Amino acid sequence: EGFVYTYFLHDMGRDLDISYNLRFPELVRPERGKVHVFHRQDLDAGKHWRYEIESYYVPDRYLRDEFFEQEFREGKDPEAAGYIRWLDGPSGAYVYERHRLNDWQTLNEYLPRLHFEMLSVPLWEKTLDNLYVTQKVDAVQLRRRIDKELPQNNIDLVRLDSVTEVSLPWDLGYFQVSPFAQGRLTFYDADLSNDAELRAIWTAGGRFVTQVHATHPNIAWERIGLRGLRHTAEFELRYARSSGSNLSTDDLFPFEEVDQLGEFEEIGLEFRQRLLTKDAQGKPREFFFSVLGIEYYPDPDRDAQSSRVDNYIYPF
């Protein structure tokens, strides 16, 4: 599956009496347009292998902002890319090559990126089948291509990031407990001082969850599709703390989120409610869901003075 999408126009010039047009500079040339090509193919009916290729050429810096505002504000960056993915049960990997076509962009190029994940696999199936290990490895050669009008040079980096997590979930009847420990090792071939670095971050914590539920089969109103009622309330307490970071984020160029991680601590409380009924075929159907939550930071001077990338990355 895929598409070819093009847009071309001969622009007669902007009407400067319209305030919207004052946002844009004078036209360089009247011929304007873009070409976006995408192709995806599943090599074995989508069971294991898929590849994608994409090319999005927009030589006009202001075309998307002027004529495709939603895409400009919400869509991903134009790129020329190739991607091949493999999946097998809880494991998967991909290779991703990405280049910049439009010299007005500032964009991270992947030359290439190799990524592997193994999610929640029992460490010893017969001995400790509730001890799970998750492994993620990401290796990338990065190049930050700078907008041609900015007085900066391109920036290059080789980074190897490995995350290993061990978790031990227990179902104790009325509540479930899931402690975990995570180690993250990240190698950089150069920091801002052009020195090779190895950063280590250790994270530990856990989740405590309990549920209460009740079923009311006699509550029914066929006109609005209510055929019995099931109410589930769930309370969750989370705690996680990362420590031991031996490298300041000020020493690294912020290519991506992983380069901005450091020491962090958070306690989270959530109260979730769900209401379910049955559809015409008798299958459960959720029609109401609500969450009330609060996050507490034991070290607010460090963790709550500004937006921290850590706060949006698992397990926080």
Side-chain angles (χ1 to χ4, degrees), residues 238 267-270 292-296:
R238 299 188 312 272
I267 299 172
L269 293 169
E270 278 192 6
L292 176 66
I294 186 171
E295 296 173 349
Y296 171 71

Side-chain angles (χ1 to χ4, degrees), residues 246-259:
N246 59 328
L247 191 61
S248 171
T249 55
D250 295 334
D251 297 327
L252 300 170
F253 185 83
F255 281 95
E256 296 176 318
E257 294 172 334
V258 65
D259 307 314

Side-chain angles (χ1 to χ4, degrees), residues 138-194:
D138 186 80
V140 60
Q141 180 179 350
L142 276 162
R143 176 175 295 152
R144 173 66 66 89
R145 296 288 300 276
I146 307 298
D147 184 338
K148 67 175 183 177
E149 294 189 0
L150 297 179
Q152 300 179 31
N153 296 322
N154 296 330
I155 305 169
D156 291 88
L157 174 75
V158 174
R159 184 185 66 216
L160 176 62
D161 184 51
S162 175
V163 182
T164 304
E165 179 179 296
V166 177
S167 61
L168 189 64
W170 290 94
D171 188 348
L172 301 177
Y174 292 104
F175 57 89
Q176 298 82 45
V177 179
S178 181
F180 74 92
Q182 181 188 98
R184 184 172 211 138
L185 297 175
T186 311
F187 170 77
Y188 296 88
D189 75 330
D191 61 8
L192 292 179
S193 301
N194 209 32

Side-chain angles (χ1 to χ4, degrees), residues 37-300:
V37 181
F38 176 81
H39 174 74
R40 170 186 294 154
Q41 186 160 347
D42 293 327
L43 300 179
D44 56 351
K47 294 180 180 179
H48 300 287
W49 292 94
R50 164 183 289 181
Y51 78 86
E52 297 176 355
I53 53 176
E54 180 175 8
S55 180
Y56 195 173
Y57 181 53
V58 195
D60 190 316
R61 179 189 298 267
Y62 301 102
L63 182 75
R64 294 197 309 149
D65 190 8
E66 189 172 354
F67 293 101
F68 304 93
E69 187 173 1
Q70 183 174 356
E71 176 192 317
F72 174 75
R73 298 186 182 280
E74 301 176 10
K76 71 183 184 71
D77 293 324
E79 63 182 2
Y83 163 88
I84 185 165
R85 184 210 68 190
W86 165 81
L87 290 176
D88 188 11
S91 300
Y94 66 79
V95 180
Y96 183 25
E97 183 92 10
R98 181 194 201 192
H99 295 271
R100 185 188 74 173
L101 285 180
N102 311 295
D103 57 11
W104 49 265
Q105 285 182 274
T106 294
L107 188 74
N108 289 336
E109 291 187 329
Y110 305 139
L111 310 168
R113 159 166 267 160
L114 294 84
H115 188 89
F116 169 80
E117 292 194 24
M118 181 183 68
L119 303 178
S120 298
V121 176
L123 195 58
W124 293 293
E125 290 192 12
K126 296 182 179 180
T127 306
L128 279 173
D129 58 359
N130 64 328
L131 181 64
Y132 293 91
V133 61
T134 295
Q135 179 67 54
K136 300 181 182 181
V137 180
D138 186 80
V140 60
Q141 180 179 350
L142 276 162
R143 176 175 295 152
R144 173 66 66 89
R145 296 288 300 276
I146 307 298
D147 184 338
K148 67 175 183 177
E149 294 189 0
L150 297 179
Q152 300 179 31
N153 296 322
N154 296 330
I155 305 169
D156 291 88
L157 174 75
V158 174
R159 184 185 66 216
L160 176 62
D161 184 51
S162 175
V163 182
T164 304
E165 179 179 296
V166 177
S167 61
L168 189 64
W170 290 94
D171 188 348
L172 301 177
Y174 292 104
F175 57 89
Q176 298 82 45
V177 179
S178 181
F180 74 92
Q182 181 188 98
R184 184 172 211 138
L185 297 175
T186 311
F187 170 77
Y188 296 88
D189 75 330
D191 61 8
L192 292 179
S193 301
N194 209 32
D195 296 325
E197 299 284 359
L198 179 63
R199 184 191 66 188
I201 299 178
W202 311 102
T203 306
R207 299 170 65 242
F208 171 90
V209 181
T210 185
Q211 290 183 345
V212 293
H213 51 82
T215 302
H216 308 280
N218 296 324
I219 298 179
W221 189 1
E222 185 66 31
R223 178 171 296 181
I224 63 172
L226 189 63
R227 305 174 181 91
L229 182 68
R230 182 176 177 84
H231 176 219
T232 300
E234 183 176 86
F235 174 81
E236 178 178 336
L237 170 66
R238 299 188 312 272
Y239 173 77
R241 180 174 185 265
S242 61
S243 60
S245 179
N246 59 328
L247 191 61
S248 171
T249 55
D250 295 334
D251 297 327
L252 300 170
F253 185 83
F255 281 95
E256 296 176 318
E257 294 172 334
V258 65
D259 307 314
Q260 303 171 58
L261 301 179
E263 297 188 345
F264 199 74
E265 186 176 17
E266 178 190 79
I267 299 172
L269 293 169
E270 278 192 6
F271 180 65
R272 297 186 283 269
Q273 293 196 80
R274 302 171 64 202
L275 294 178
L276 301 92
T277 188
K278 293 181 179 180
D279 61 18
Q281 287 73 41
K283 297 180 180 180
R285 178 176 65 86
E286 179 180 286
F287 66 92
F288 177 82
F289 178 72
S290 68
V291 180
L292 176 66
I294 186 171
E295 296 173 349
Y296 171 71
Y297 305 97
D299 191 346

